[in-house]
Amino acid sequence: MAFREFPWGVGDGAEASYVTHKQVQKYLEDYANEFHLLENIRFGCRVNHLKVLQNTKDDKHPNEKKEEGDESSDCDSWPQISLEWTDNENNQCHQQTFDNICICNGHYDLPSSPPLRGLNNFSGRVIHAIEYDDPNDFAGQTVLCVGARASGVDIAREIGLVAERVYLSDSSCDAMQEFGNVVLMPRTQLIDENGEVHFSPSVPSDSGDGNGRSNEQTVNDVDVIIFCSGYDYAFPFINAESNLELTSIPGERRVRPVYNQLWHAQYPSLSFIGLPHSVVPFPLYEIQSTAVVSQLTSKVGSIPLPSLSERRVAAECDATSGGPDSP
């Protein structure tokens, strides 16, 4: 999980399989201090608007590949970008024009909760994993965690130490499995009018009576539902006046058009660090940053980006493949 030039030190969880958020924060603070980064960072600023400036350069970027007869990769591929922001300390607004901008605002801020049929029939407490903080808040209760990836598994493990019972609903689970007071369940399908929660595999087997629910289980003892269902991308500083094509559909967990999940396909002077999910974050960010820098320098051996038309085709292929509805 560490950056290559700064290994985890003593007390940073080097030998632990579960690193706490406090240990991660300390590691990042130590990294920043070691390489004197804080003096180059302006904290407490809120970005309000990003705008691509059209026709600000006469030539395409020297590192961009141009195919013969491809006029689309000319002057507008690497435009300058205007950024407006507010300094929260004094509430002053600022504007500055940049040759390149990296968007690194993450995707762990806007909760994504899948639609659950009959949720209005549930009389208990409903929260998202972003609201979870202390497992002791759930002592003696029965909790349903909807989603069994990183946050779902971690929360179920912690809550299981104090809760009466924890149901961990996993869309890839075929049948109920008990691990002490933590019970792995198939996908949560609905909550009926009596408040019972129904679970069954994503593709239920046919029971012979046509209802296809032979593997269904129901429970009626849930006190709290925690949606551990991830987050959606959000770029509130990009809008219709940004001169920029960019879409991110809630629940789809994809941004388009982005080349190699890193550069904006049309304007690679705008890049996105950390878009992929289910990754080891810090090494990924380091590799992505190195790739971005390689396009901004004339370092010998750096590989230029393909032409605009090739980037657009690749970005569209990425945007239309995979996703939550794929097998």
Side-chain angles (χ1 to χ4, degrees), residues 292-309:
V292 169
V293 171
S294 74
Q295 299 303 310
L296 308 182
T297 63
S298 56
K299 183 177 179 180
V300 176
S302 61
I303 301 174
L305 295 181
S307 66
L308 172 58
S309 60

Side-chain angles (χ1 to χ4, degrees), residues 308-324:
L308 172 58
S309 60
E310 290 177 285
R311 297 196 304 265
R312 281 188 169 279
V313 169
E316 184 62 19
C317 181
D318 275 353
T320 54
S321 62

